[in-house]
Amino acid sequence: MIGSAVPRKEDAALLTGRGTFVDDIHRPGLLHMVYVHSTEAHALVTGIDTEEARSLPGVLGVWTARDFADLPPRPSVPGLERGYLAGDKVHYVGEPVAVVVAADRYTAADAARAVRVAYEPLPVMATVADALAPGAVPIFAPLPGNLALEQQVTPDDVTADLAAAPHRLRARLVNQRCAGTPIEPYGVLADWTGAGPTVWATVQAPHRVRAEIAERFGLARHLVRVIAPDVGGAFGVKSSFMPELFLAPELSRRLGRPVKYVETRGEHMVHTYHGRDQIQDVEVGFDAEGRILAMDVTITVNIGGVPDPVGIGLATLTSYMLGGCYRIPKIAARYRSVVTNTTPTASYRGAGRPEASFLIERVVDLVARELGEDPADVRKVNLIQPEEMPYQTPFEGIVYDEADYPAALDLLLGELDYAALRAEQARRLADPAAPLLGVGLSTFVEMGGFGPTPLFEQFGYLGGWESANVRMQPDGSVIVLVGTAPHGQGHQTALAQIVADQLNVPFDAISVLYGDTAVVQEGTGTMGSRGMPVAGNAVRQAAVEVAAKARTIAAHMLEAEADDVVPVGDGFQIKGVPEATVTMAEVAVRAFKPHLLPEGTALGLEHTAYYEPKNLSYPSGAHGCVVEIDRDTGRVTVLRYVCVDDCGTVINPLTARGQIHGGVAQGIAQALYEKVAFDPGGRPLAASLEDYMVPGPLDLPSYETHHIETKSSFNPLGAKGLGEAGATAAPQAVVNAVVDALAHLGVRDVEMPCTPERVWKVMHDAR
Amino acid sequence: MRVEITVNGQPHTREVEPRLLLVHFLRDTLSLTGTHIGCDTSSCGACTVLLDGVAVKSCTVLAAQADGRAVTTIEGLAGEDGLSPVQEGFRQCHGLQCGFCTPGMVMAATALLAERPDPTEQEIRNGLKGNMCRCTGYQMIVESVRWAAANGGAR
Ligand code: FES
Ligand code: FES
């Protein structure tokens, strides 16, 4: 079954309106919780008048920070503990200041509007430049210069290498702030009955959420049940520990009734954490062929108004991946995470790695431009060769698995018909009536399969392994419990395919369950492209054990040695004796008959496996983008988008294609459309889907997808992961194409998003 | 106020607040939770239903405005013979991932095919321009609709 494009098990319910998303769940006596959000970017809170709100019929109460003073803080950066609501001070527009509970959502919204908050404004620092300026007001007392973290990632000093390099160039690249914008916003429903709460939530790691809730409330974990039901997209933004995860259970406990919170889209845009937002200063030394000899990188990250424990350190991952798929002997990298009066930033699809890929892919193009070489040739000179794999990068512990980067690039150039495109580009350049043509390449590598436990512990997780229980029923059907919590990736389907192969059981006889801490053994979750490389291997390992036991039982039934018994059709036979067979269903029943089992065989036919990845995996590939730019308006149109992807073993080509498409779509969106902007006063300029340009069907092209399948030796399945590959590869493919189209004007860079306005201005200024 | 709305062929008479949105009437009053809410600016189309056969965003229609009219939601699409061609097309062509935009997308596609039984790619993209999907990048949705067009259409 591995490798077949079977339609998904998930779809029947989702297509008929019978999915179960958090907001679809009703409980008797359900109450609705709504926040009052700060309207100020930086201010002292001098008073909160809740009287009018409380007096509205149907309102059960209004609570402010001091009402939750007894709860231990949310998961926080040590020394910068964050509570659930802003207290005496607000740090960004959208920070929750108070919370209202009412009998229905309309009344709750009315009441939230009736709460009056008095502010005494403070100077606003909406950009890192403002926050780092000498004399800037500290946003947090323990951070006098608004610097939350300064990290030297490599001890390499490349000053001498840069000085010795035949050529050098510098660039400042901006990776703008984006909002994850899953179409389902964040939601929580908590029902505290008896000794602890049941919490349905739009989360990516239910066991971790359970642990955090249990810890806050001083409960043993078995008393807390967290369920991630159907989740309507997440893209990393549903992995942050939002205050509602704790406030809804606490208010349910206090009120003795179930409490639901579902954010509005307007809230999502300012309240749920954003991603990216890096400024990258790079200096690179290279030789006459474009061979990169050394690179020095300083990254400045805007982590927003309340440091998030993941967001604060994401640039570590950016640093690790700075070399891309190139043989760069020396890299010096450091970063600064800066607090500003904006919404906090944390994970968004790729979380730190797309920023690295963007940097190095833009740098390679700049090097090519500087030398007057073709960007494809400069890539070829620098690419790590297949025989160098596994490849030790300059960063300790960052070792790339098997891949053939040059083959991916060659396949891409062939599919693009690169030479013909260059000819067409020249033709159009000579014809003032023709729109400009640009071709952009992105030979990317990212980091997937998160991750070995020591790495994942740094992000607060119990481990980086994943768990699977594979259990055969007495009729030969199979139930799989897996510790991931997918939200569109199709794990029910892909994991069933893996089990079908190992157990020789029909795909339709396998069900995969996840997302419920009361049902599933300890698990980790879905993020970091870990579904197939980690969970897939856990499932595989559990299935291998079950298959081995089934074979032992079959051998006993056939009165043969296990080694002489082989799987055939729907069961087993003695090797070379076609009439000596038993079916899997017969074996399954036998597994529950203690008196008929071989000596010492435990009852039942199931196994729980915890798979710990030895290493991260490194999905890679080559993407190419062809754009057309209107000479009069600066409007960019993507004419073709071609992907060559190497995610290792492809479990299901249909869902794999979907993952690539979705990631590329988000990457193109970052390159052309999306930006979370703030005015100098910290007021969000992208507070709704009218202002934040999530692309619609007319804004995105068709994608041409191709695979190279280089299996990873780092795990038995050979899978590398692919949830984040598209989003990692695409922005720079598009931007390189845009810059390529304008190169004749002397344009070196166009900042994302490459809107018509910005492109027109760049063209205009260059003339 | 009192409204009488026929939903998926079934008449419902209810006392509602004048400001109640049709989407909340469907989801909260009738417990038809297949219709989703993804925004508050009429941008995303997750709430798309058919009102007297025309695709509308039910977050932008008051329940009161639907009084005396007929609504079809995602729950009303599959017949005794299984999924509608559009639903089946989405399944065959992997036109959905998380499934949150899907009910709205399927309803909009159904309305599109009723009007244009054999749309081109561009016509499909144009017909679905009021619907956002954050997961698929749209191409497989386009393929799903084309599959449906070739296999029974709007039914
Ligand atoms: S919820 Fe109706 S358009 Fe978004
Ligand atoms: S399938 Fe997730 S938003 Fe469309």
Side-chain angles (χ1 to χ4, degrees):
Chain A
M1 283 297 292
I2 288 184
S4 7
V6 273
R8 301 195 313 170
K9 288 179 181 286
E10 287 84 347
D11 294 350
L14 295 172
L15 278 166
T16 50
R18 300 219 281 278
T20 308
F21 296 89
V22 168
D23 199 17
D24 301 343
I25 301 168
H26 184 78
R27 305 288 294 164
L30 185 65
L31 300 173
H32 295 267
M33 168 182 136
V34 169
Y35 284 121
V36 177
H37 295 275
S38 170
T39 53
E40 296 295 314
H42 199 197
L44 298 175
V45 177
T46 54
I48 304 178
D49 179 359
T50 61
E51 210 169 296
E52 188 193 336
R54 282 176 206 277
S55 71
L56 293 176
V59 172
L60 281 94
V62 183
W63 294 263
T64 62
R66 81 166 59 94
D67 299 313
F68 303 104
D70 290 346
L71 272 185
R74 265 194 292 159
S76 305
V77 175
L80 293 169
E81 279 69 24
R82 41 181 195 173
Y84 301 87
L85 299 170
D88 300 338
K89 198 177 164 193
V90 291
H91 308 86
Y92 58 94
V93 172
E95 185 172 8
V97 176
V99 69
V100 174
V101 174
D104 71 275
R105 49 179 116 222
Y106 284 53
T107 307
D110 289 345
R113 264 192 299 275
V115 172
R116 307 264 170 264
V117 185
Y119 298 102
E120 188 180 309
L122 294 168
V124 174
M125 290 141 293
T127 63
V128 291
D130 288 347
L132 293 175
V137 178
I139 296 172
F140 294 94
L143 306 176
N146 291 320
L147 195 55
L149 179 67
E150 185 156 28
Q151 198 79 354
Q152 190 71 39
V153 187
T154 37
D156 271 359
D157 180 357
V158 296
T159 320
D161 306 81
L162 286 173
H167 298 269
R168 274 191 304 282
L169 67 82
R170 285 176 200 265
R172 165 167 281 204
L173 297 162
V174 179
N175 211 288
Q176 86 274 29
R177 179 181 285 231
C178 292
T181 337
I183 302 299
E184 178 202 33
Y186 213 102
V188 184
L189 165 54
D191 193 2
W192 192 306
T193 52
T198 299
V199 180
W200 291 263
T202 55
V203 295
Q204 300 177 225
H207 285 89
R208 169 84 190 279
V209 171
R210 178 184 69 161
E212 300 293 351
I213 290 174
E215 194 180 320
R216 300 295 163 304
F217 294 108
L219 294 172
R221 292 185 190 181
H222 71 102
L223 297 175
V224 180
R225 179 178 186 183
V226 174
I227 302 170
D230 287 326
V231 173
F235 315 116
V237 304
K238 289 176 179 169
S239 64
S240 292
F241 296 98
M242 304 305 288
E244 50 266 29
L245 285 176
F246 309 94
L247 289 175
E250 172 63 4
L251 291 170
S252 174
R253 188 184 68 77
R254 290 187 193 183
L255 297 166
R257 288 169 68 176
V259 172
K260 184 191 274 188
Y261 167 79
V262 176
E263 72 181 357
T264 63
R265 178 61 54 186
E267 285 180 289
H268 179 85
M269 299 312 295
V270 296
H271 167 65
T272 288
Y273 297 173
H274 301 144
R276 315 276 192 261
D277 211 342
Q278 291 189 358
I279 297 171
Q280 307 167 329
D281 288 295
V282 51
E283 182 170 12
V284 60
F286 48 100
D287 69 14
E289 276 93 58
R291 204 167 281 113
I292 298 178
L293 305 171
M295 192 161 75
D296 183 88
V297 178
T298 302
I299 301 168
T300 310
V301 194
N302 181 344
I303 60 167
V306 177
D308 177 85
V310 170
I312 193 172
L314 275 184
T316 300
L317 301 180
T318 311
S319 304
Y320 285 161
M321 295 308 294
L322 282 173
C325 48
Y326 309 112
R327 198 188 309 96
I328 304 178
K330 279 192 140 185
I331 302 175
R334 67 200 69 80
Y335 71 86
R336 300 177 295 174
S337 295
V338 182
V339 292
T340 65
N341 294 123
T342 61
T343 302
T345 58
S347 301
Y348 169 50
R349 202 168 193 167
R353 293 98 78 208
E355 295 91 320
S357 192
F358 180 79
L359 181 147
I360 185 63
E361 291 305 301
R362 290 289 299 117
V363 162
V364 171
D365 262 41
L366 287 168
V367 166
R369 193 72 56 210
E370 184 85 4
L371 294 172
E373 297 285 342
D374 189 291
D377 294 336
V378 171
R379 283 182 168 76
K380 285 180 186 164
V381 165
N382 285 290
L383 284 177
I384 300 163
Q385 299 299 307
E387 58 276 12
E388 295 175 81
M389 299 298 183
Y391 178 82
Q392 170 65 58
T393 70
F395 298 93
E396 198 191 324
I398 306 301
V399 179
Y400 295 165
D401 50 7
E402 292 72 9
D404 191 340
Y405 303 149
L409 177 57
D410 284 343
L411 178 56
L412 173 70
L413 296 175
E415 292 295 337
L416 282 171
D417 200 354
Y418 191 66
L421 283 172
R422 288 288 173 214
E424 169 67 6
Q425 181 178 40
R427 188 194 69 73
R428 289 192 184 202
L429 203 50
D431 173 4
L436 295 167
L437 193 78
V439 188
L441 304 176
S442 167
T443 35
F444 75 101
V445 56
E446 58 136 353
M447 195 182 242
F450 276 69
T453 291
L455 175 73
F456 233 41
E457 277 175 336
Q458 292 174 31
F459 294 103
Y461 285 84
L462 179 62
W465 38 260
E466 198 47 272
S467 69
N469 171 273
V470 172
R471 190 167 89 219
M472 189 169 280
Q473 316 296 299
D475 62 355
S477 67
V478 177
I479 293 176
V480 179
L481 307 177
V482 65
T484 52
H487 28 271
Q489 294 86 345
H491 286 189
Q492 290 179 30
T493 305
L495 296 175
Q497 290 178 256
I498 294 170
V499 171
D501 278 358
Q502 292 302 331
L503 284 182
N504 212 14
V505 165
F507 174 73
D508 290 337
I510 302 166
S511 290
V512 179
L513 307 179
Y514 44 71
D516 184 344
T517 61
V519 173
V520 179
Q521 66 288 341
E522 192 66 32
T524 302
T526 296
M527 69 284 290
S529 297
R530 64 195 304 281
M532 294 309 116
V534 189
N537 280 292
V539 166
R540 182 189 170 279
Q541 193 175 311
V544 165
E545 297 290 342
V546 171
K549 184 168 179 184
R551 189 169 168 211
T552 309
I553 296 172
H556 187 71
M557 293 169 80
L558 293 166
E559 295 176 0
E561 292 298 317
D563 286 347
D564 296 332
V565 169
V566 290
V568 284
D570 63 349
F572 296 91
Q573 74 165 53
I574 300 176
K575 217 182 293 174
V577 190
E579 59 284 5
T581 61
V582 284
T583 66
M584 189 57 104
E586 288 165 342
V587 171
V589 170
R590 180 63 67 94
F592 294 92
K593 307 284 184 195
H595 55 296
L596 299 176
L597 284 177
E599 253 318 283
T601 306
L603 262 169
L605 200 44
E606 69 176 287
H607 188 84
T608 304
Y610 287 81
Y611 177 79
E612 165 76 0
K614 288 195 283 287
N615 199 332
L616 293 154
S617 53
Y618 293 88
S620 62
H623 287 206
C625 179
V626 184
V627 301
E628 184 172 272
I629 300 182
D630 187 300
R631 295 190 197 229
D632 297 323
T633 63
R635 194 189 145 85
V636 178
T637 307
V638 176
L639 296 182
R640 286 180 70 197
Y641 196 96
V642 185
C643 330
V644 176
D645 186 86
D646 186 353
C647 63
T649 305
V650 175
I651 312 293
N652 182 326
L654 195 62
T655 57
R657 189 161 157 253
Q659 286 298 308
I660 294 168
H661 284 192
V664 167
Q666 282 177 338
I668 296 175
Q670 181 175 9
L672 295 182
Y673 306 116
E674 296 181 10
K675 176 180 178 162
V676 178
F678 297 85
D679 77 6
R683 254 158 250 293
L685 301 174
S688 78
L689 288 183
E690 306 232 274
D691 307 307
Y692 187 75
M693 289 294 140
V694 170
L698 288 169
D699 304 318
L700 290 167
S702 286
Y703 321 94
E704 303 163 43
T705 44
H706 307 275
H707 281 288
I708 282 192
E709 209 172 308
T710 318
K711 291 187 192 312
S712 172
S713 68
F714 290 2
N715 65 68
L717 265 183
K720 299 172 184 170
L722 84 167
E724 294 161 303
T728 301
Q732 59 273 14
V734 179
V735 174
N736 282 342
V738 170
V739 175
D740 183 63
L742 306 177
H744 62 288
L745 300 169
V747 171
R748 279 180 91 221
D749 191 25
V750 180
E751 211 177 281
M752 298 189 288
C754 304
T755 57
E757 185 191 357
R758 186 168 278 163
V759 172
W760 183 87
K761 196 172 175 318
V762 167
M763 289 165 75
H764 195 79
D765 291 351
R767 279 205 186 109
Chain B
M1 63 180 295
R2 178 181 287 270
V3 293
E4 191 185 327
I5 304 174
T6 301
V7 180
N8 302 328
Q10 188 107 17
H12 296 272
T13 306
R14 292 285 193 286
E15 216 36 69
V16 300
E17 268 196 75
R19 63 171 172 170
L20 185 71
L21 296 172
L22 177 58
V23 68
H24 287 137
F25 177 80
L26 296 170
R27 290 181 52 82
D28 297 345
T29 311
L30 301 186
S31 298
L32 291 172
T33 53
T35 302
H36 296 155
I37 302 172
C39 74
D40 39 19
T41 48
S42 269
S43 310
C44 75
C47 62
T48 305
V49 299
L50 305 184
L51 184 58
D52 290 337
V54 177
V56 297
K57 293 180 174 178
S58 62
C59 72
T60 318
V61 177
L62 296 168
Q65 291 172 296
D67 186 26
R69 302 172 73 179
V71 175
T72 308
T73 70
I74 187 76
E75 288 93 342
L77 220 51
E80 271 163 24
D81 49 344
L83 299 180
S84 76
V86 175
Q87 289 169 317
E88 186 61 32
F90 272 67
R91 199 178 88 83
Q92 290 298 330
C93 303
H94 191 35
L96 68 158
Q97 291 183 26
C98 77
F100 197 78
C101 72
T102 309
M105 212 50 100
V106 166
M107 298 315 288
T110 301
L112 169 70
L113 289 181
E115 221 173 272
R116 269 177 204 279
D118 188 21
T120 62
E121 166 170 358
Q122 199 55 26
E123 285 167 342
I124 294 169
R125 288 182 183 272
N126 202 47
L128 299 178
K129 67 169 180 269
N131 292 66
M132 282 178 185
C133 174
R134 193 59 159 163
C135 297
T136 64
Y138 303 107
Q139 185 181 341
M140 291 169 100
I141 290 177
V142 171
E143 290 166 9
S144 303
V145 178
R146 291 189 57 82
W147 189 99
N151 290 276
R155 183 192 67 65

